[in-house]
Amino acid sequence: MKIFLIYGGKSAEHDVSILTAFSITKEIYYKYYDVEPIYITKSGKWLQGMTLESPVISADALKFEEADEAVLAIKEGAISTGVEISPISIKQEDAVIFPVLHGPNGEDGTIQGLFEVIGMPYVGAGVLASACGMDKIISKYLFQQAGLPQVPYVPVLKNNWSTDAEKVFMQCEGTLLYPMFIKPANMGSSVGISKAGNREELIDAIEEALKYDRRIVVEQGIEARELEVAVLGNSDIHTSVPGEIVKTVDFYDYESKYINNEVTLQIPAKVTEEVSGQLREYAARAFQTLDGSGLSRCDFFLTSNDEIFINEVNTMPGFTQFSMYPLLWENTGLGYGDLVEELIQLALRRFEERQAFQYSEES
Protein backbone atom coordinates (compact mmCIF):
# COMPACT_ATOMS: atom_id res chain seq x y z
CA MET A 1 0.00 0.00 0.00
CA LYS A 2 1.12 3.55 -0.71
CA ILE A 3 1.22 6.28 1.93
CA PHE A 4 1.13 9.89 0.75
CA LEU A 5 2.86 11.81 3.55
CA ILE A 6 1.85 15.45 3.09
CA TYR A 7 3.59 18.18 5.08
CA GLY A 8 4.82 21.78 5.01
CA GLY A 9 2.04 24.14 3.97
CA LYS A 10 1.43 27.87 3.84
CA SER A 11 0.69 28.40 7.53
CA ALA A 12 2.94 29.85 10.22
CA GLU A 13 3.42 26.28 11.46
CA HIS A 14 5.22 25.17 8.28
CA ASP A 15 8.43 24.20 10.08
CA VAL A 16 6.59 22.28 12.82
CA SER A 17 4.91 20.23 10.10
CA ILE A 18 8.27 19.30 8.61
CA LEU A 19 9.54 18.17 12.01
CA THR A 20 6.41 16.07 12.44
CA ALA A 21 6.87 14.46 9.02
CA PHE A 22 10.50 13.71 9.83
CA SER A 23 9.51 11.95 13.05
CA ILE A 24 6.96 9.82 11.20
CA THR A 25 9.46 8.81 8.51
CA LYS A 26 11.65 7.41 11.28
CA GLU A 27 8.90 5.16 12.64
CA ILE A 28 6.60 4.10 9.81
CA TYR A 29 6.61 0.39 8.90
CA TYR A 30 8.38 0.41 5.52
CA LYS A 31 7.91 -3.35 5.27
CA TYR A 32 4.24 -2.74 4.46
CA TYR A 33 4.21 0.68 2.80
CA ASP A 34 5.74 2.73 0.02
CA VAL A 35 6.00 6.25 1.40
CA GLU A 36 5.53 9.08 -1.09
CA PRO A 37 6.62 12.39 0.52
CA ILE A 38 4.77 15.47 -0.70
CA TYR A 39 6.10 18.82 0.43
CA ILE A 40 3.84 21.86 0.20
CA THR A 41 6.05 24.94 -0.03
CA LYS A 42 5.32 28.20 1.73
CA SER A 43 4.10 29.55 -1.62
CA GLY A 44 1.67 26.62 -1.97
CA LYS A 45 3.44 24.42 -4.55
CA TRP A 46 3.05 20.66 -4.14
CA LEU A 47 6.42 18.92 -4.67
CA GLN A 48 6.56 15.12 -4.74
CA GLY A 49 9.89 13.52 -3.88
CA MET A 50 11.42 10.10 -4.40
CA THR A 51 9.66 7.14 -2.79
CA LEU A 52 11.07 6.50 0.67
CA GLU A 53 12.15 2.98 1.56
CA SER A 54 13.89 3.98 4.78
CA PRO A 55 14.03 6.98 7.14
CA VAL A 56 15.52 10.24 5.87
CA ILE A 57 18.69 11.55 7.48
CA SER A 58 17.31 14.90 8.64
CA ALA A 59 14.25 17.13 8.59
CA ASP A 60 16.03 19.44 6.13
CA ALA A 61 16.07 16.61 3.60
CA LEU A 62 12.29 16.90 3.42
CA LYS A 63 12.42 20.55 2.28
CA PHE A 64 12.41 19.81 -1.41
CA GLU A 65 13.76 22.07 -4.11
CA GLU A 66 11.85 21.96 -7.39
CA ALA A 67 13.32 19.86 -10.21
CA ASP A 68 11.99 18.45 -13.48
CA GLU A 69 11.30 14.73 -13.76
CA ALA A 70 14.47 14.03 -15.75
CA VAL A 71 16.70 15.55 -13.06
CA LEU A 72 14.80 13.74 -10.34
CA ALA A 73 15.17 10.41 -12.13
CA ILE A 74 18.91 10.91 -12.62
CA LYS A 75 19.52 11.86 -8.99
CA GLU A 76 18.51 8.50 -7.62
CA GLY A 77 17.94 8.82 -3.91
CA ALA A 78 18.24 12.61 -4.04
CA ILE A 79 15.38 13.18 -1.65
CA SER A 80 16.06 16.92 -1.46
CA THR A 81 14.45 17.46 -4.87
CA GLY A 82 10.82 17.16 -5.90
CA VAL A 83 8.60 17.45 -8.95
CA GLU A 84 5.62 19.80 -8.87
CA ILE A 85 2.33 17.94 -9.03
CA SER A 86 -1.36 18.78 -9.04
CA PRO A 87 -3.08 17.99 -5.73
CA ILE A 88 -5.69 15.84 -7.47
CA SER A 89 -2.97 13.61 -8.93
CA ILE A 90 -2.68 11.83 -5.57
CA LYS A 91 -5.98 10.05 -6.22
CA GLN A 92 -4.91 6.42 -6.49
CA GLU A 93 -6.20 3.00 -5.58
CA ASP A 94 -4.68 1.15 -2.62
CA ALA A 95 -3.34 4.33 -1.05
CA VAL A 96 -3.99 6.39 2.07
CA ILE A 97 -3.12 10.01 2.77
CA PHE A 98 -1.26 10.91 5.96
CA PRO A 99 -1.47 14.72 6.25
CA VAL A 100 0.64 16.26 9.01
CA LEU A 101 -0.22 19.87 8.21
CA HIS A 102 -0.69 22.16 11.17
CA GLY A 103 -2.62 25.41 11.31
CA PRO A 104 -4.65 27.12 8.55
CA ASN A 105 -4.98 25.23 5.25
CA GLY A 106 -3.90 22.08 7.06
CA GLU A 107 -6.07 21.18 10.04
CA ASP A 108 -8.96 23.58 9.47
CA GLY A 109 -11.02 21.37 7.15
CA THR A 110 -9.88 22.90 3.86
CA ILE A 111 -7.50 20.18 2.73
CA GLN A 112 -9.75 17.54 4.29
CA GLY A 113 -12.45 18.77 1.89
CA LEU A 114 -10.08 18.10 -1.02
CA PHE A 115 -9.49 14.55 0.17
CA GLU A 116 -13.25 14.01 0.47
CA VAL A 117 -13.89 15.35 -3.04
CA ILE A 118 -11.28 13.09 -4.67
CA GLY A 119 -12.49 10.16 -2.58
CA MET A 120 -9.34 9.14 -0.72
CA PRO A 121 -8.90 7.75 2.80
CA TYR A 122 -6.89 10.04 5.05
CA VAL A 123 -5.57 10.09 8.60
CA GLY A 124 -7.24 12.38 11.09
CA ALA A 125 -10.41 14.35 11.61
CA GLY A 126 -12.92 15.06 8.86
CA VAL A 127 -14.04 18.42 7.51
CA LEU A 128 -16.46 19.31 10.31
CA ALA A 129 -14.27 18.31 13.25
CA SER A 130 -11.19 19.92 11.70
CA ALA A 131 -12.93 23.22 11.04
CA CYS A 132 -14.64 23.41 14.42
CA GLY A 133 -11.63 22.21 16.38
CA MET A 134 -9.36 24.74 14.69
CA ASP A 135 -11.66 27.67 15.39
CA LYS A 136 -11.31 28.61 19.05
CA ILE A 137 -14.54 30.62 19.07
CA ILE A 138 -16.75 27.99 17.42
CA SER A 139 -15.28 25.19 19.54
CA LYS A 140 -16.00 27.21 22.69
CA TYR A 141 -19.63 27.59 21.62
CA LEU A 142 -19.87 23.82 21.05
CA PHE A 143 -18.17 22.93 24.33
CA GLN A 144 -20.57 25.27 26.11
CA GLN A 145 -23.51 23.39 24.59
CA ALA A 146 -21.94 20.09 25.64
CA GLY A 147 -21.66 21.27 29.25
CA LEU A 148 -17.86 21.28 29.34
CA PRO A 149 -16.46 23.83 31.83
CA GLN A 150 -14.44 26.72 30.34
CA VAL A 151 -12.84 29.94 31.54
CA PRO A 152 -14.79 33.15 30.67
CA TYR A 153 -13.98 34.60 27.25
CA VAL A 154 -14.87 37.40 24.83
CA PRO A 155 -14.80 36.93 21.04
CA VAL A 156 -13.52 39.98 19.12
CA LEU A 157 -13.91 40.73 15.41
CA LYS A 158 -11.36 42.84 13.55
CA ASN A 159 -14.08 45.11 12.18
CA ASN A 160 -15.43 45.79 15.68
CA TRP A 161 -11.94 46.60 16.91
CA SER A 162 -11.32 48.96 13.98
CA THR A 163 -14.61 50.83 14.31
CA ASP A 164 -15.19 50.89 18.08
CA ALA A 165 -12.18 49.88 20.18
CA GLU A 166 -13.74 51.41 23.28
CA LYS A 167 -16.68 49.01 23.07
CA VAL A 168 -14.24 46.10 22.85
CA PHE A 169 -12.49 47.37 25.98
CA MET A 170 -15.85 47.57 27.78
CA GLN A 171 -16.70 44.00 26.78
CA CYS A 172 -13.32 42.64 27.86
CA GLU A 173 -12.85 44.66 31.04
CA GLY A 174 -16.52 44.35 31.97
CA THR A 175 -16.44 40.55 31.70
CA LEU A 176 -12.86 39.58 32.46
CA LEU A 177 -10.14 40.52 34.94
CA TYR A 178 -6.50 41.11 34.17
CA PRO A 179 -4.42 39.20 33.29
CA MET A 180 -6.02 38.14 30.02
CA PHE A 181 -4.76 35.91 27.23
CA ILE A 182 -5.36 36.99 23.65
CA LYS A 183 -5.35 34.42 20.83
CA PRO A 184 -6.12 34.31 17.10
CA ALA A 185 -9.23 32.21 16.55
CA ASN A 186 -7.58 30.02 13.91
CA MET A 187 -3.98 29.42 14.85
CA GLY A 188 -2.09 26.95 17.00
CA SER A 189 1.26 26.27 18.67
CA SER A 190 1.18 29.59 20.57
CA VAL A 191 1.47 31.61 17.34
CA GLY A 192 0.10 35.12 17.88
CA ILE A 193 -0.76 34.51 21.55
CA SER A 194 0.01 37.18 24.16
CA LYS A 195 -0.68 37.91 27.81
CA ALA A 196 -2.04 41.29 28.87
CA GLY A 197 -1.82 42.68 32.39
CA ASN A 198 -3.32 46.09 31.63
CA ARG A 199 -5.09 48.02 28.89
CA GLU A 200 -1.90 49.10 27.13
CA GLU A 201 -0.75 45.49 26.90
CA LEU A 202 -4.26 44.45 25.81
CA ILE A 203 -4.06 46.87 22.87
CA ASP A 204 -0.69 45.47 21.81
CA ALA A 205 -1.89 41.89 22.23
CA ILE A 206 -5.05 42.44 20.17
CA GLU A 207 -3.02 44.08 17.41
CA GLU A 208 -0.59 41.15 17.44
CA ALA A 209 -3.34 38.51 17.28
CA LEU A 210 -5.09 40.36 14.44
CA LYS A 211 -1.98 39.87 12.31
CA TYR A 212 -2.95 36.21 12.09
CA ASP A 213 -6.75 36.24 11.95
CA ARG A 214 -9.66 38.65 11.64
CA ARG A 215 -11.35 36.93 14.60
CA ILE A 216 -9.67 36.59 17.97
CA VAL A 217 -10.61 35.49 21.46
CA VAL A 218 -9.75 37.17 24.75
CA GLU A 219 -9.71 34.74 27.67
CA GLN A 220 -9.63 35.12 31.42
CA GLY A 221 -6.17 34.32 32.74
CA ILE A 222 -6.13 31.98 35.73
CA GLU A 223 -3.53 30.38 37.98
CA ALA A 224 -3.62 26.80 36.79
CA ARG A 225 -1.62 23.81 35.65
CA GLU A 226 -1.77 22.84 31.97
CA LEU A 227 -2.73 19.22 31.38
CA GLU A 228 -3.30 17.31 28.17
CA VAL A 229 -4.99 14.06 27.20
CA ALA A 230 -4.47 12.19 23.92
CA VAL A 231 -7.50 10.72 22.15
CA LEU A 232 -7.43 7.92 19.59
CA GLY A 233 -10.24 6.25 17.67
CA ASN A 234 -13.31 6.79 15.53
CA SER A 235 -16.60 5.82 17.13
CA ASP A 236 -14.59 3.71 19.59
CA ILE A 237 -12.85 6.38 21.64
CA HIS A 238 -9.71 5.70 23.67
CA THR A 239 -7.93 8.17 25.95
CA SER A 240 -4.40 8.28 27.32
CA VAL A 241 -3.10 9.03 30.76
CA PRO A 242 -2.96 12.80 31.34
CA GLY A 243 0.31 14.64 30.92
CA GLU A 244 1.36 18.03 32.22
CA ILE A 245 3.30 20.92 30.74
CA VAL A 246 5.39 21.96 33.71
CA LYS A 247 5.65 25.75 33.48
CA THR A 248 8.55 27.89 34.60
CA VAL A 249 7.03 30.91 32.84
CA ASP A 250 3.41 32.06 32.32
CA PHE A 251 3.19 30.55 28.85
CA TYR A 252 5.43 29.20 26.12
CA ASP A 253 5.66 30.79 22.72
CA TYR A 254 6.24 29.03 19.40
CA GLU A 255 10.05 29.25 19.61
CA SER A 256 10.15 27.87 23.15
CA LYS A 257 8.05 24.86 22.18
CA TYR A 258 9.60 23.83 18.89
CA ILE A 259 12.94 25.56 18.37
CA ASN A 260 14.57 25.78 21.80
CA ASN A 261 12.72 22.81 23.35
CA GLU A 262 12.28 24.63 26.65
CA VAL A 263 9.05 22.84 27.55
CA THR A 264 9.22 20.24 30.34
CA LEU A 265 6.66 17.43 30.23
CA GLN A 266 5.48 15.36 33.19
CA ILE A 267 3.92 12.05 32.09
CA PRO A 268 1.82 10.84 33.72
CA ALA A 269 0.70 14.04 35.40
CA LYS A 270 0.72 14.05 39.18
CA VAL A 271 -3.02 14.18 39.79
CA THR A 272 -5.52 12.12 41.74
CA GLU A 273 -7.27 9.17 40.14
CA GLU A 274 -10.51 11.14 40.31
CA VAL A 275 -9.02 14.11 38.40
CA SER A 276 -7.40 11.78 35.89
CA GLY A 277 -10.70 10.04 35.23
CA GLN A 278 -12.53 13.35 34.87
CA LEU A 279 -9.94 14.68 32.41
CA ARG A 280 -10.25 11.56 30.29
CA GLU A 281 -14.04 11.70 30.38
CA TYR A 282 -14.04 15.36 29.31
CA ALA A 283 -11.53 14.61 26.54
CA ALA A 284 -13.72 11.84 25.13
CA ARG A 285 -16.79 14.06 25.35
CA ALA A 286 -15.03 16.94 23.57
CA PHE A 287 -13.81 14.57 20.84
CA GLN A 288 -17.33 13.25 20.35
CA THR A 289 -18.85 16.76 20.41
CA LEU A 290 -16.64 17.79 17.48
CA ASP A 291 -17.31 14.49 15.66
CA GLY A 292 -13.62 13.69 15.89
CA SER A 293 -11.90 10.77 14.22
CA GLY A 294 -8.40 9.38 14.20
CA LEU A 295 -6.62 11.53 16.74
CA SER A 296 -6.85 14.64 18.88
CA ARG A 297 -5.10 16.16 21.85
CA CYS A 298 -7.37 17.80 24.42
CA ASP A 299 -5.85 20.57 26.54
CA PHE A 300 -7.09 21.53 29.99
CA PHE A 301 -6.45 23.90 32.88
CA LEU A 302 -6.41 22.49 36.41
CA THR A 303 -6.60 24.88 39.39
CA SER A 304 -5.14 24.32 42.84
CA ASN A 305 -8.53 23.14 44.13
CA ASP A 306 -8.87 20.64 41.26
CA GLU A 307 -11.28 22.64 39.10
CA ILE A 308 -10.98 21.55 35.48
CA PHE A 309 -11.51 23.82 32.46
CA ILE A 310 -11.18 22.69 28.87
CA ASN A 311 -8.88 24.94 26.85
CA GLU A 312 -8.94 23.56 23.32
CA VAL A 313 -8.82 20.47 21.12
CA ASN A 314 -6.03 20.05 18.59
CA THR A 315 -7.16 17.71 15.79
CA MET A 316 -3.66 17.38 14.31
CA PRO A 317 -1.22 17.57 17.22
CA GLY A 318 2.49 17.55 16.59
CA PHE A 319 4.49 14.32 16.28
CA THR A 320 7.90 15.82 16.85
CA GLN A 321 10.34 14.14 19.20
CA PHE A 322 9.29 16.67 21.86
CA SER A 323 5.53 16.38 21.28
CA MET A 324 3.10 15.46 24.01
CA TYR A 325 0.72 13.37 21.88
CA PRO A 326 2.98 10.39 21.02
CA LEU A 327 4.63 10.54 24.45
CA LEU A 328 1.23 10.26 26.14
CA TRP A 329 0.46 7.10 24.18
CA GLU A 330 3.91 5.68 24.83
CA ASN A 331 3.26 6.07 28.55
CA THR A 332 -0.18 4.50 28.11
CA GLY A 333 1.35 1.44 26.43
CA LEU A 334 1.26 2.24 22.70
CA GLY A 335 4.64 2.85 21.04
CA TYR A 336 5.26 5.37 18.27
CA GLY A 337 5.39 2.89 15.38
CA ASP A 338 2.25 1.10 16.53
CA LEU A 339 0.53 4.47 17.00
CA VAL A 340 1.29 5.47 13.40
CA GLU A 341 0.01 2.11 12.18
CA GLU A 342 -3.19 2.42 14.23
CA LEU A 343 -3.86 5.85 12.73
CA ILE A 344 -3.50 4.43 9.23
CA GLN A 345 -5.92 1.60 10.04
CA LEU A 346 -8.41 4.03 11.59
CA ALA A 347 -8.29 6.09 8.39
CA LEU A 348 -9.01 3.03 6.27
CA ARG A 349 -11.87 1.87 8.52
CA ARG A 350 -13.46 5.33 8.51
CA PHE A 351 -13.23 5.48 4.71
CA GLU A 352 -14.83 2.06 4.32
CA GLU A 353 -17.67 3.04 6.66
CA ARG A 354 -18.34 6.26 4.76
CA GLN A 355 -18.26 4.44 1.44
CA ALA A 356 -20.83 1.99 2.75
CA PHE A 357 -23.13 4.86 3.75
CA GLN A 358 -22.79 6.47 0.34
CA TYR A 359 -23.49 3.19 -1.40
CA SER A 360 -26.67 2.62 0.64
CA GLU A 361 -27.87 6.15 -0.18
CA GLU A 362 -27.35 5.64 -3.92
CA SER A 363 -28.96 2.20 -4.07
Side-chain angles (χ1 to χ4, degrees):
M1 175 173 282
K2 184 175 292 186
I3 302 293
F4 287 106
L5 181 63
I6 303 180
Y7 58 94
K10 297 171 67 176
S11 83
E13 298 174 79
H14 179 96
D15 292 336
V16 180
S17 176
I18 295 172
L19 292 173
T20 295
F22 174 58
S23 296
I24 289 174
T25 64
K26 292 193 294 184
E27 298 290 344
I28 203 164
Y29 295 151
Y30 290 95
K31 179 180 178 180
Y32 304 107
Y33 304 110
D34 294 324
V35 181
E36 298 282 351
I38 298 176
Y39 171 51
I40 302 178
T41 68
K42 291 182 178 180
S43 64
K45 287 185 177 181
W46 288 46
L47 302 180
Q48 183 170 356
M50 302 286 287
T51 300
L52 301 182
E53 298 178 353
S54 61
V56 297
I57 58 174
S58 70
D60 286 340
L62 293 172
K63 298 180 182 180
F64 300 151
E65 295 181 1
E66 189 173 358
D68 60 40
E69 292 188 20
V71 172
L72 188 63
I74 292 171
K75 294 183 177 180
E76 184 176 355
I79 55 177
S80 60
T81 57
V83 175
E84 185 174 4
I85 63 169
S86 166
I88 62 173
S89 67
I90 63 175
K91 180 175 174 58
Q92 294 185 25
E93 297 293 328
D94 197 32
V96 62
I97 299 167
F98 202 133
V100 289
L101 298 160
H102 305 298
N105 298 313
E107 59 178 306
D108 59 359
T110 51
I111 202 163
Q112 287 78 15
L114 168 66
F115 302 151
E116 293 285 353
V117 169
I118 65 175
M120 287 282 291
Y122 58 93
V123 170
V127 175
L128 178 66
S130 297
C132 293
M134 183 71 186
D135 192 297
K136 293 180 176 65
I137 296 175
I138 297 301
S139 60
K140 285 181 180 298
Y141 292 159
L142 293 173
F143 295 153
Q144 185 173 333
Q145 289 295 313
L148 294 167
Q150 304 177 83
V151 297
Y153 65 94
V154 174
V156 177
L157 305 183
K158 184 175 184 177
N159 183 61
N160 293 345
W161 172 250
S162 301
T163 58
D164 195 347
E166 190 60 36
K167 184 176 181 180
V168 172
F169 290 137
M170 291 176 62
Q171 291 174 327
C172 293
E173 295 175 339
T175 306
L176 313 174
L177 301 173
Y178 290 107
M180 305 174 194
F181 283 90
I182 299 84
K183 307 174 181 180
N186 282 276
M187 192 60 64
S189 296
S190 301
V191 176
I193 298 179
S194 304
K195 179 183 178 181
N198 53 54
R199 180 175 285 201
E200 183 177 342
E201 291 178 355
L202 179 60
I203 293 171
D204 292 340
I206 290 175
E207 294 288 352
E208 176 66 17
L210 287 172
K211 293 177 182 178
Y212 297 94
D213 199 350
R214 65 179 182 82
R215 298 162 62 252
I216 66 175
V217 60
V218 181
E219 295 179 353
Q220 176 65 64
I222 60 171
E223 289 291 329
R225 298 160 63 187
E226 294 186 19
L227 290 97
E228 301 181 345
V229 175
V231 184
L232 181 69
N234 291 334
S235 56
D236 53 332
I237 302 172
H238 304 278
T239 59
S240 73
V241 297
E244 180 177 3
I245 298 177
V246 182
K247 297 188 295 183
T248 57
V249 295
D250 286 331
F251 75 102
Y252 290 98
D253 60 16
Y254 175 94
E255 198 166 281
S256 298
K257 282 185 177 180
Y258 296 104
I259 307 302
N260 300 328
N261 188 32
E262 295 176 351
V263 176
T264 300
L265 307 180
Q266 173 67 51
I267 307 174
K270 295 179 180 179
V271 296
T272 66
E273 288 188 13
E274 182 180 358
V275 167
S276 176
Q278 188 67 79
L279 287 166
R280 296 176 77 162
E281 192 275 323
Y282 281 162
R285 197 195 306 179
F287 186 81
Q288 193 170 43
T289 297
L290 295 177
D291 189 32
S293 55
L295 72 163
S296 284
R297 192 195 70 232
C298 297
D299 301 350
F300 298 92
F301 298 126
L302 179 68
T303 67
S304 58
N305 60 349
D306 284 348
E307 284 185 287
I308 299 171
F309 300 97
I310 189 167
N311 180 22
E312 62 183 7
V313 171
N314 189 323
T315 58
M316 184 49 72
F319 271 80
T320 72
Q321 58 183 311
F322 312 123
S323 296
M324 179 73 91
Y325 186 84
L327 291 175
L328 285 172
W329 281 117
E330 183 177 325
N331 281 268
T332 309
L334 185 63
Y336 199 125
D338 289 338
L339 174 60
V340 170
E341 177 62 21
E342 179 62 19
L343 289 171
I344 292 169
Q345 295 304 318
L346 285 169
L348 292 171
R349 290 200 291 272
R350 179 174 180 269
F351 181 73
E352 290 171 359
E353 289 173 0
R354 288 174 64 83
Q355 291 295 101
F357 285 132
Q358 290 171 7
Y359 177 81
S360 64
E361 291 172 359
E362 293 169 359
S363 60

